[in-house]
Amino acid sequence: MIIVAHVLLILLGATEILQADLLPDEKISLLPPVNFTIKVTGLAQVLLQWKPNPDQEQRNVNLEYQVKINTPKEDDYETRITESKCVTILHKGFSASVRTILQSDHSLLASSWVSAELHAPPGSPGTSIVNLTCTTNTTEDNYSRLRSYQVSLHCTWLVGTDAPEDTQYFLYYRYGSWTEECQEYSKDTLGRNIACWFPRTFILSKGRDWLAVLVNGSSKHSAIKPFDQLFALHAIDQINPPLNVTAEIEGTRLSIQWEKPVSAFPIHCFDYEVKIHNTRNGYLQIEKLMTNAFISIIDDLSKHDVQVRAAVSSMCREAGLWSEWSQPIYVGNDEHKPLREWFLIVIMATICFILLILSLICKICHLWIKLFPPIPAPKSNIKDLFVTTNYEKAGSSETEIEVICYIEKIGVETLEDSVF
């Protein structure tokens, strides 16, 4: 037992010595990197490089570096290599710092910072463009065997508020390692470029890299300040509307079907919205779907127009723009009558209304009696005979009264001559 105890103590001591060698010494002095430089390697792209300090004490530890971006937007990250690529706008200038760090479970040792800077490019204030916007769109590429789809790029901007009238702007874009200058511009009334169109680009329709766009300019009267901007493809990609939208009605059952838009994304990568509009009462129904078919119960006595739009699902890419609505498809009964039928209905209703008003006026003012008075009935011997005969046959006063009353309604004068 004593021997075992001695062995355990020896092993424990060796372990402590080994850990002491492996753990960083808190008294170690970390020195900052040297030869820190910032180099522009492309549109809106820089390369940060540095070297370890040659005077840094070498120990059995792994040194790391902390990089801090100061301008144009603050950011920081850690790396174990001595260079770093950064995609960022440069028209405001760029500055960064780096330092050596050594991490342990309980502490962080760090050297002092070393910094480098790129100054903002020269140019007069107010001469750079403003309100730069860009959109991409995917079309089928029937001319290339390597790519089934082609991406176009369209950018617009406004002229700087203080730019001279002879200012001319030029646009460039970079995607990945490809950089291209615009060849098709739209101009304002002074002949200055205010929009650019690339019918074909090197942009990948399903790509995830940043799109960098730079617009610089020239003038005889002033130095034009350049302007660059970064775009995320999912945020500017204008999706095409769904294809071959069809709608059929069976009774009150409306069935709608469509095909996915022209896109490099597969069919399961799309969300859809269906819009059903009742043209009779203005009711609007919008449904969000993940399939390319929809069934709805509608009013079969009304006419409806149907439209569908699409967007790339978040399962395949970050959420972006919705497409335009597809062309409306009209289904159902058209309750609108032809103009001729409406005219006849209005005429008939007007005539009936006038006749009704005239009849009411005649009844209230007794005009009908005044215009057409009743014709008196002539005296007739036949009536006298009828009265006399009935009177002779009557055997009681009650019958006589009844006959008198009956005859009285016919003619009062005739009755009196017969009885009395």
Side-chain angles (χ1 to χ4, degrees), residues 242-382:
L243 297 175
N244 300 328
V245 180
T246 60
E248 296 180 354
I249 289 183
E250 295 181 4
T252 60
R253 185 173 179 267
L254 173 62
S255 300
I256 307 170
Q257 292 183 331
W258 59 90
E259 297 178 5
K260 85 175 188 71
V262 174
S263 173
F265 287 96
I267 189 172
H268 67 272
C269 284
F270 287 95
D271 293 329
Y272 299 98
E273 280 189 350
V274 178
K275 180 170 65 174
I276 304 173
H277 176 234
N278 188 320
T279 60
R280 183 179 182 182
N281 57 23
Y283 177 74
L284 187 65
Q285 177 185 359
I286 297 180
E287 300 290 341
K288 189 171 183 179
L289 308 165
M290 297 181 66
T291 61
N292 61 340
F294 178 67
I295 297 176
S296 179
I297 304 301
I298 62 170
D299 176 13
D300 60 341
L301 298 179
S302 299
K303 187 176 182 180
H304 298 78
D305 63 77
V306 177
Q307 292 177 283
V308 186
R309 66 177 182 176
V312 178
S313 171
S314 58
M315 296 186 302
C316 300
R317 188 178 70 179
E318 292 186 61
L321 303 175
W322 283 93
S323 72
E324 298 292 336
W325 290 101
S326 62
Q327 292 296 320
I329 296 178
Y330 295 93
V331 293
N333 296 323
D334 190 356
E335 296 296 327
H336 298 288
K337 296 185 177 295
L339 182 62
R340 184 177 178 181
E341 294 185 16
W342 280 115
F343 180 77
L344 293 176
I345 292 175
V346 171
I347 292 297
M348 294 300 296
T350 303
I351 293 174
C352 293
F353 179 76
I354 292 174
L355 292 177
L356 178 63
I357 295 299
L358 290 177
S359 64
L360 290 176
I361 293 174
C362 292
K363 183 175 182 180
I364 293 173
C365 300
H366 302 287
L367 293 179
W368 189 266
I369 297 177
K370 294 178 180 179
L371 293 175
F372 305 99
I375 300 175
K379 294 182 180 181
S380 175
N381 294 331
I382 298 175

Side-chain angles (χ1 to χ4, degrees), residues 91-139:
H91 69 272
K92 295 181 179 180
F94 181 85
S95 66
S97 303
V98 63
R99 67 178 179 176
T100 308
I101 60 173
L102 181 60
Q103 300 189 59
S104 67
D105 294 337
H106 306 289
S107 63
L108 172 65
L109 296 179
S111 71
S112 58
W113 291 99
V114 58
S115 300
E117 181 180 6
L118 288 176
H119 296 287
S124 301
T127 59
S128 64
I129 66 165
V130 293
N131 295 347
L132 175 63
T133 59
C134 294
T135 56
T136 59
N137 181 251
T138 301
T139 57

Side-chain angles (χ1 to χ4, degrees), residues 199-217:
R200 299 169 65 88
T201 67
F202 294 100
I203 300 172
L204 299 179
S205 54
K206 294 195 295 183
R208 298 178 181 270
D209 292 339
W210 287 94
L211 173 67
V213 177
L214 168 69
V215 181
N216 58 21

Side-chain angles (χ1 to χ4, degrees), residues 163-209:
E165 291 186 356
D166 71 332
T167 300
Q168 194 57 278
Y169 294 106
F170 308 96
L171 182 141
Y172 305 80
Y173 84 87
R174 179 187 62 80
Y175 184 77
S177 60
W178 294 96
T179 301
E180 191 174 5
E181 180 182 0
C182 181
Q183 302 297 325
E184 298 184 24
Y185 289 102
S186 299
K187 302 178 182 294
D188 64 5
T189 55
L190 297 178
R192 297 174 294 190
N193 296 334
I194 57 172
C196 170
W197 164 251
F198 291 91
R200 299 169 65 88
T201 67
F202 294 100
I203 300 172
L204 299 179
S205 54
K206 294 195 295 183
R208 298 178 181 270
D209 292 339

